Amino acid sequence: MRPGAPHAKKEIAVLASGRGSNFQALIDAVQTGYVPAAISRLITDNPEAQAIRRARDAGIPVTVLDFGSFAGKEEYEAALLGEMEACDPDLFVLAGYMRILPATVVRAFPGRLVNIHPALLPSFPGLHSPRQALEYGVKVSGCTVHFVDEGTDTGPIIIQRCIPVGEEDDEETLAARILVEEHRILAEAVRLFLEDRLRIVGRRVAIR
């Protein structure tokens, strides 16, 4: 439902492409009551995504828009926009969705799209962020939840969490430690949004 529409309980929809561990963290947060909403749908571009099993185990409807079954990118993006408009929750959460949302989608849902990213933005946007961090030699890494704009991981930042990078870390161990914090701050950011405690002021997000 769009914000302000008569609705007993707020809804979120999730876009995911892979294993869906952040999606599972949201499912768990909803089931415990920490996130005051229902998850109305999972939308995925990958028919083999593990997130599908997680959704079905939780009784959440699934829409599979297999990118490979479309004639091209424009056709896929039109179908995605149509599905998102039909779903129309209070908030869309990108939880490991591996495609850049087109401008048409971003403009259709201003301030209603959030993403989780495994780096301290604006450092290391895009793919393989833990690898980028290690190659750069940073001493601190982390994760970010941000609103989605038309850039790649460039939207206003809601929450960030830092973790130290150890001398023994490789890409796998660093990513795993970051993921633990991703689960925590994603649920926290979604809760803040649903409680109407976030306000975008230019590039900053004010938290009441």
Side-chain angles (χ1 to χ4, degrees), residues 70-112:
F70 289 87
K73 182 179 177 182
E74 290 184 1
E75 289 79 2
Y76 170 79
E77 291 177 349
L80 176 63
L81 176 59
E83 179 60 34
M84 292 174 72
E85 288 176 334
C87 181
D88 198 28
D90 296 274
L91 178 67
F92 288 99
V93 179
L94 280 63
Y97 179 69
M98 302 308 291
R99 298 188 183 278
I100 297 173
L101 288 181
T104 52
V105 168
V106 176
R107 293 169 188 167
F109 306 102
R112 292 168 58 195

Side-chain angles (χ1 to χ4, degrees), residues 22-202:
N22 274 311
F23 176 41
Q24 185 66 56
L26 281 179
I27 292 172
D28 295 344
V30 166
Q31 290 177 343
T32 62
Y34 179 77
V35 169
I39 302 177
S40 61
R41 184 161 299 274
L42 168 70
I43 301 173
T44 181
D45 60 327
N46 177 11
E48 303 300 323
Q50 295 179 41
I52 295 172
R53 175 185 55 80
R54 297 179 189 273
R56 289 176 175 159
D57 287 349
I60 297 167
V62 178
T63 295
V64 178
L65 298 175
D66 182 2
F67 185 83
S69 69
F70 289 87
K73 182 179 177 182
E74 290 184 1
E75 289 79 2
Y76 170 79
E77 291 177 349
L80 176 63
L81 176 59
E83 179 60 34
M84 292 174 72
E85 288 176 334
C87 181
D88 198 28
D90 296 274
L91 178 67
F92 288 99
V93 179
L94 280 63
Y97 179 69
M98 302 308 291
R99 298 188 183 278
I100 297 173
L101 288 181
T104 52
V105 168
V106 176
R107 293 169 188 167
F109 306 102
R112 292 168 58 195
L113 300 157
V114 300
N115 180 53
I116 179 77
H117 184 75
L120 295 173
L121 294 173
S123 298
F124 313 124
L127 299 175
H128 308 300
S129 297
R131 182 190 307 171
Q132 293 184 58
L134 287 169
E135 290 174 348
Y136 201 85
V138 300
K139 302 302 182 184
V140 176
S141 187
C143 47
T144 304
V145 182
H146 64 95
F147 284 104
V148 178
D149 62 10
E150 294 182 33
T152 300
D153 300 321
T154 56
I157 291 168
I158 302 170
I159 299 176
Q160 293 183 301
R161 191 67 49 82
C162 298
I163 64 166
V165 178
E167 294 294 331
E168 73 286 356
D169 270 319
D170 57 22
E171 182 179 2
E172 183 177 349
T173 61
L174 180 58
R177 288 168 48 233
I178 291 172
L179 188 61
V180 172
E181 299 303 324
E182 289 181 52
H183 294 168
R184 294 171 178 159
I185 68 169
L186 181 59
E188 183 179 352
V190 170
R191 178 185 173 108
L192 289 169
F193 179 94
L194 295 170
E195 292 176 342
D196 298 320
R197 294 174 60 191
L198 303 178
R199 184 166 59 96
I200 301 173
V201 184

